[in-house]
Amino acid sequence: QVQLVESGGGLVQAGGSLRLSCAASGRTSSINTMGWFRQAPGKEREFVAAVAWSGGSTNYADSAKGRFTISRDVARNTAYLQMDSLKPEDTAVYYCAVDRSSYTKLSPRPGNYDYWGQGTQVTVSS
C-alpha cells in the first residue's frame, strides 16, 4: 500500500502561481509513475501531468504544457506540481496518484493508477 497526501491548494487570482505537493508513504519502492489529475464540478477526472519515479521523465496534458511543471524528490518521497499563469478554467480538485506498473509508464489514464490521494482544492478567480 502507498498512502498519498496532497497539499498546497488554495485561492489565487488569474495569472498567479501555486505549488502542489504530494507526499508518499508506505511501500514507496513500488512507485513507477506519480501523476497529477484534476476534477472540476460536473466533469470527469482528467490527466494533468506525470513523472517517472526513476529517471524523472515527464508527460503533460496539452492544457498544462508551458504553464505547469511536474517534478519529484525521491529522497523525500514527494512529487510537486508547479502551476504558473493560472486560469479560471484550472479551478478543480487536484489529485495525485501512483502507478506501480512499469508497463504503463507516464500513462494519462486514471484507470492505470493504483493509489490516490484525497485531493486538494485549487480555485482561480478571474
Side-chain angles (χ1 to χ4, degrees), residues 22-38:
C22 176
S25 61
R27 289 196 62 187
T28 56
S29 61
S30 66
I31 299 173
N32 264 280
T33 297
M34 181 103 51
W36 284 97
F37 294 79
R38 67 187 183 187

Side-chain angles (χ1 to χ4, degrees), residues 3-121:
Q3 294 78 42
L4 302 170
V5 178
E6 302 99 334
S7 61
L11 174 64
V12 64
Q13 288 188 332
S17 298
L18 282 174
R19 188 174 86 149
L20 305 183
S21 299
C22 176
S25 61
R27 289 196 62 187
T28 56
S29 61
S30 66
I31 299 173
N32 264 280
T33 297
M34 181 103 51
W36 284 97
F37 294 79
R38 67 187 183 187
Q39 188 165 18
K43 295 189 176 182
E44 292 187 354
R45 191 166 297 190
E46 66 173 3
F47 172 73
V48 177
V51 61
W53 210 240
S54 175
S57 54
T58 59
N59 184 26
Y60 292 93
D62 287 343
S63 59
K65 288 178 182 176
R67 300 189 301 126
F68 295 0
T69 303
I70 190 171
S71 62
R72 88 277 187 258
D73 184 334
V74 176
R76 295 178 183 268
N77 290 321
T78 301
Y80 305 96
L81 185 69
Q82 176 67 40
M83 304 187 294
D84 299 316
S85 302
L86 283 162
K87 305 175 183 179
E89 51 264 44
D90 294 318
T91 295
V93 177
Y94 283 70
Y95 299 89
C96 64
V98 160
D99 182 0
R100 296 175 298 173
S101 174
S102 58
Y103 296 103
T104 53
K105 187 177 178 180
L106 300 177
S107 172
R109 297 182 57 193
N112 286 334
Y113 288 76
D114 305 292
Y115 303 108
W116 293 81
Q118 82 289 350
T120 186
Q121 176 71 45

